[in-house]
């Protein structure tokens, strides 16, 4: 019979490893997810305008515009498309659908060179709207089905002034893109549910025209060439008036992004974040989750190596069991979230994708630090 020497430090460290293996997987957006709140439903859904700001992707507009024009919405709605005047391909697409009475289109003037064209396009679209409620999205996104607008409009009540929706990447998108979209969205949407919305990483925001016009829209942000969705949410969202539309029936599905476009989005946020109010809780919570995850893995691995070198077999067993327990719990948490939000990701991708976040974040930060900051401004304001 072989007796394994056990001393107090070994017991304490072994117990700590097992405790952390149970606790740290709870420090994750996949474990918390969104709180479910009972919200009032609009008794009579209002008339709505769907606002699409085209950025030259005429193929996406041609594919998805019919889906917006054929919504089953008895209360009536319009689709407003705003594009650049010189975009001939987009003009041709709009001409093909010009017979539809729901469609209205306008163009950003060629002379608007010293301000954000996207923010100006949104402003023009808002002014053209015949409805108070406006659903802002991108032609790259498509509705889940013909009842999408009806499902979304349930949140358009007199007590709400903004509705934040979720836009999922289609399964063709890179695995990390789908993972990061959900991971970040769960932080942001949860903050909107529990306190005050900070920003959004989804191309899916509904708001009121009256408030947008009364408070001068993007006036103070026009010089920034990016961040229209972030600035919109940060300025107009209120704790009592903002609601999250979390039902799959309200989702939008976004086309895959080219790696360069994805990279640019991540870099741009570092600049946009400097000009947003609030967000401290989101950033601290994210930092806590990342620190706890990496510290736990580091402690498990270093304890295992130390135990092997010093022949502390009880500690080695505790380190191995803790590592397996950590991986299992984090995988199960991710599996539930992946299934709930229909990401198409495998549960076995949870841990590798989580661990890759720190490296990717560091590289994005370096790209931002070395970027030409004038690229974030709409030239010489």
């Amino acid at each position: 019979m072989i007796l394994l020497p056990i001393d107090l430090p070994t017991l304490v460290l072994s117990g700590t490893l097992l405790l952390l293996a149970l606790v740290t997987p709870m420090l994750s957006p996949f474990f918390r997810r969104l709180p479910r709140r009972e919200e009032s439903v609009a008794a009579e859904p209002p008339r709505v305008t769907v606002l699409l700001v085209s950025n030259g992707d005429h193929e996406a507009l041609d594919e998805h515009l019919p889906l917006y024009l054929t919504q089953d919405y008895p209360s009536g709605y319009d689709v407003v498309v705003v594009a650049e005047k010189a975009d001939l391909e987009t003009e041709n697409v709009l001409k093909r659908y010009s017979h539809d009475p729901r469609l209205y289109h306008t163009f950003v003037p060629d002379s608007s060179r010293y301000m954000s064209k996207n923010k100006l396009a949104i402003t023009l679209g808002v002014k053209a709207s015949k409805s108070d409620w406006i659903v802002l999205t991108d032609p790259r996104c498509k509705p889940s089905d013909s009842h999408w607008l009806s499902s979304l409009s349930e949140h358009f009540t007199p007590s709400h002034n903004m509705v934040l929706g979720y836009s999922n990447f289609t399964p063709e998108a890179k695995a990390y893109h789908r993972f990061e979209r959900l991971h970040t969205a769960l932080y942001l949407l949860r903050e909107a549910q529990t306190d005050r919305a900070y920003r959004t990483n989804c191309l899916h925001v509904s708001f009121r025209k009256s408030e947008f016009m009364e408070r001068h829209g993007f006036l103070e942000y026009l010089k920034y060439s990016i961040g229209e969705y972030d600035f919109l949410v940060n300025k107009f969202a209120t704790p009592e008036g903002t609601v999250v539309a979390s039902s799959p029936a309200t989702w939008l599905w976004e086309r895959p992004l080219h790696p360069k476009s994805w990279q640019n989005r991540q870099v741009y946020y570092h600049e946009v974040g400097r000009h947003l109010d609030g967000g401290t809780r989101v950033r601290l919570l994210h930092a806590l989750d990342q620190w706890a995850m990496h510290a736990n893995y580091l402690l498990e691995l270093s304890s295992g190596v130390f135990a092997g070198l010093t022949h502390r077999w009880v500690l080695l067993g505790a380190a191995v069991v803790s590592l397996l327990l950590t991986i299992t719990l984090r995988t199960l948490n991710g599996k539930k979230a992946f299934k709930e939000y229909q990401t198409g990701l495998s549960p076995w991708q949870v841990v590798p994708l989580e661990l890759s976040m720190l490296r990717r974040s560091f590289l994005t930060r370096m790209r931002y630090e070395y970027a030409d900051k004038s690229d974030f401004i709409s030239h010489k304001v």
Side-chain angles (χ1 to χ4, degrees):
M1 181 177 181
I2 300 176
L3 297 177
L4 298 179
I6 303 176
D7 52 24
L8 183 59
T10 297
L11 287 175
V12 171
L13 184 52
S14 298
T16 301
L17 288 171
L18 292 170
L19 179 62
L20 291 176
L22 291 171
V23 172
T24 54
M26 299 179 188
L27 301 177
S28 165
F30 297 147
F31 177 81
R32 297 186 200 95
R33 298 204 291 278
L34 293 183
R36 299 302 182 187
R37 298 194 312 186
E38 290 295 329
E39 297 288 347
S40 56
V41 176
E44 296 183 11
R47 187 177 183 84
V48 174
T49 292
V50 178
L51 174 55
L52 304 174
V53 176
S54 177
N55 289 296
D57 195 340
H58 64 279
E59 292 181 357
L61 181 65
D62 196 15
E63 179 183 350
H64 297 159
L65 185 56
L67 302 178
Y68 288 104
L69 291 172
T70 54
Q71 289 292 302
D72 183 6
Y73 193 67
S75 298
Y77 72 99
D78 305 291
V79 176
V80 175
V81 179
V82 186
E84 292 189 33
K85 185 66 176 176
D87 188 351
L88 297 179
E89 291 86 355
T90 298
E91 286 190 48
N92 290 332
V93 171
L94 293 172
K95 286 178 182 177
R96 286 201 294 274
Y97 297 97
S98 60
H99 63 278
D100 195 308
R102 292 190 179 99
L103 179 63
Y104 174 83
H105 63 267
T106 187
F107 298 94
V108 177
D110 293 331
S111 57
S112 56
R113 300 177 182 177
Y114 305 118
M115 61 183 68
S116 168
K117 287 193 174 182
N118 277 351
K119 295 181 185 65
L120 178 58
I122 291 173
T123 303
L124 292 174
V126 170
K127 289 182 177 180
S129 171
K130 301 176 182 178
S131 313
D132 190 38
W133 272 106
I134 296 174
V135 182
L136 172 64
T137 186
D138 189 279
R140 295 177 53 83
C141 299
K142 65 178 180 180
S144 50
D145 57 33
S146 62
H147 302 288
W148 164 74
L149 192 55
S150 294
S151 300
L152 184 63
S153 70
E154 293 179 357
H155 301 284
F156 298 161
T157 68
S159 60
H160 294 149
N161 75 318
M162 178 169 284
V163 179
L164 301 184
Y166 181 63
S167 58
N168 215 345
F169 278 117
T170 58
E172 297 79 23
K174 288 183 175 295
Y176 185 76
H177 295 181
R178 286 177 279 153
F179 172 84
E180 198 278 341
R181 166 60 58 83
L182 176 59
H183 192 272
T184 301
L186 289 176
Y187 282 106
L188 299 176
L189 296 178
R190 189 174 190 276
E191 183 72 1
Q193 284 277 54
T194 58
D195 187 50
R196 177 181 178 272
Y198 166 54
R199 56 176 285 259
T200 181
N201 68 332
C202 299
L203 304 178
H204 191 349
V205 177
S206 303
F207 59 96
R208 290 183 180 274
K209 173 181 178 177
S210 54
E211 184 177 9
F212 184 90
M213 300 304 297
E214 288 169 7
R215 297 179 59 188
H216 309 292
F218 292 114
L219 182 61
E220 60 268 50
Y221 308 119
L222 282 176
K223 70 176 182 178
Y224 303 113
S225 61
I226 51 178
E228 48 275 3
Y229 286 81
D230 294 307
F231 288 127
L232 184 66
V233 171
N234 197 253
K235 178 175 181 177
F236 294 100
T238 62
E240 63 280 355
T242 303
V243 63
V244 173
S246 56
S247 167
T250 66
W251 295 351
L252 291 172
W253 293 85
E254 185 178 348
R255 275 187 166 194
L257 283 174
H258 186 275
K260 184 65 175 178
S261 299
W262 167 267
Q263 188 179 103
N264 288 340
R265 278 194 188 183
Q266 306 309 304
V267 172
Y268 288 166
Y269 167 66
H270 285 283
E271 176 66 21
V272 172
R274 296 177 57 243
H275 310 289
L276 300 178
D277 295 327
T280 301
R281 291 204 328 174
V282 174
R283 292 191 294 271
L284 287 178
L285 187 59
H286 181 269
L288 172 63
D289 291 350
Q290 289 292 302
W291 181 89
M293 179 180 69
H294 287 91
N296 181 49
Y297 279 128
L298 182 60
L299 182 61
E300 289 169 343
L301 293 174
S302 60
S303 297
V305 172
F306 170 75
L309 293 175
T310 58
H311 307 294
R312 297 173 182 265
W313 309 124
V314 172
L315 179 58
L316 178 59
V320 171
V321 170
S322 297
L323 181 60
L324 293 176
L325 184 59
T326 296
I327 292 173
T328 299
L329 292 177
R330 300 196 78 93
T331 299
L332 290 175
N333 288 339
K335 179 182 179 181
K336 291 179 182 178
F338 290 173
K339 182 178 180 180
E340 181 178 352
Y341 287 89
Q342 303 174 27
T343 62
L345 295 170
S346 167
W348 306 113
Q349 294 176 284
V350 175
V351 172
L353 289 173
E354 283 185 328
L355 290 174
S356 72
M357 292 190 71
L358 185 62
R359 173 180 59 85
R360 294 173 186 271
S361 297
F362 175 77
L363 292 175
T364 298
R365 182 70 193 188
M366 289 301 99
R367 292 188 184 102
Y368 170 72
E369 293 297 335
Y370 288 100
D372 184 352
K373 302 305 185 288
S374 64
D375 291 341
F376 305 126
I377 304 296
S378 298
H379 308 299
K380 318 303 184 237
V381 177

